[in-house]
Amino acid sequence: NPDAEKLASNDLKDDVNVVAWHPNGRSLVVPDHGGAVHWVNAQSGEMELLGRHQSRAGWAVFTPDGAYLFTGSWGPEVICWDAQTKRRLFTANLNAYVFQFSADGRRWALNGLTSVQLYAFEQRTAHREFAEDLGMNVRWAAISPNGRWLASSGDKRIGVWDLSVGGP
């Protein structure tokens, strides 16, 4: 409609391939070719930087319940974000970046260059966050064979936690 009223507008420095609406309709995500992933408030147009990919960000999709956001880059990197806290949960190198969730959110398909990969998506039933700062590059973690201890290393520190207690 040529007479449609513009509600908000943002200028981006880099090209954009796709936008993804949150299922509640109140926000959307815009990944750009500079690697940035932007979260946009659909009512105000206010935009914030969620984070960055190592290469061009080219895809974004929310789980059907809106709890998680997945973004993909033109490299092998797929990032899973917690849509409520707007924090990165994990990064996976899957050699593809175009994906789609099933209607019930329990499965997702990843379109690779020469294949389609199907994955189960199991949402966490409980989780625990660790406030300690190990540095920017937390890459390795291991749980002891008896399930009691968690050890992880970052570029600044190493952390060990007793998982049998609820606190730090």
Side-chain angles (χ1 to χ4, degrees):
N1 180 354
D3 298 326
E5 178 186 353
K6 183 190 300 185
L7 300 175
S9 177
N10 284 303
D11 292 324
L12 297 169
K13 184 179 102 176
D14 295 294
D15 291 343
V16 172
N17 278 6
V18 67
V19 298
W21 280 93
H22 190 280
N24 69 16
R26 294 190 295 267
S27 53
L28 59 140
V29 166
V30 182
D32 72 29
H33 287 194
V37 178
H38 307 278
W39 187 280
V40 182
N41 180 309
Q43 285 78 38
S44 68
E46 180 182 333
M47 185 167 57
E48 63 182 290
L49 179 66
L50 225 93
R52 303 189 72 80
H53 279 270
Q54 294 175 2
S55 61
R56 294 181 188 183
W59 195 254
V61 66
F62 285 94
T63 55
D65 64 2
Y68 301 96
L69 165 71
F70 282 75
T71 59
S73 70
W74 288 13
E77 185 180 60
V78 173
I79 299 175
C80 175
W81 310 84
D82 181 313
Q84 182 177 359
T85 63
K86 300 179 187 171
R87 291 176 48 190
R88 182 187 305 233
L89 293 176
F90 65 85
T91 302
N93 292 322
L94 299 174
N95 292 321
Y97 71 94
V98 177
F99 35 86
Q100 181 177 359
F101 277 89
S102 62
D104 64 7
R106 295 175 52 204
R107 295 171 308 280
W108 59 295
L110 179 66
N111 181 17
L113 294 175
T114 59
S115 67
V116 174
Q117 304 162 40
L118 300 175
Y119 293 91
F121 182 67
E122 297 181 20
Q123 296 190 26
R124 61 185 181 209
T125 55
H127 77 284
R128 184 167 156 196
E129 292 191 28
F130 301 95
E132 293 78 14
D133 180 13
L134 302 181
M136 290 295 294
N137 295 313
V138 177
R139 296 199 175 174
W140 303 104
I143 296 176
S144 65
N146 65 2
R148 180 174 177 182
W149 300 95
L150 168 68
S152 182
S153 65
D155 62 354
K156 293 184 181 179
R157 293 179 189 80
I158 295 173
V160 178
W161 296 270
D162 184 346
L163 300 177
S164 67
V165 296

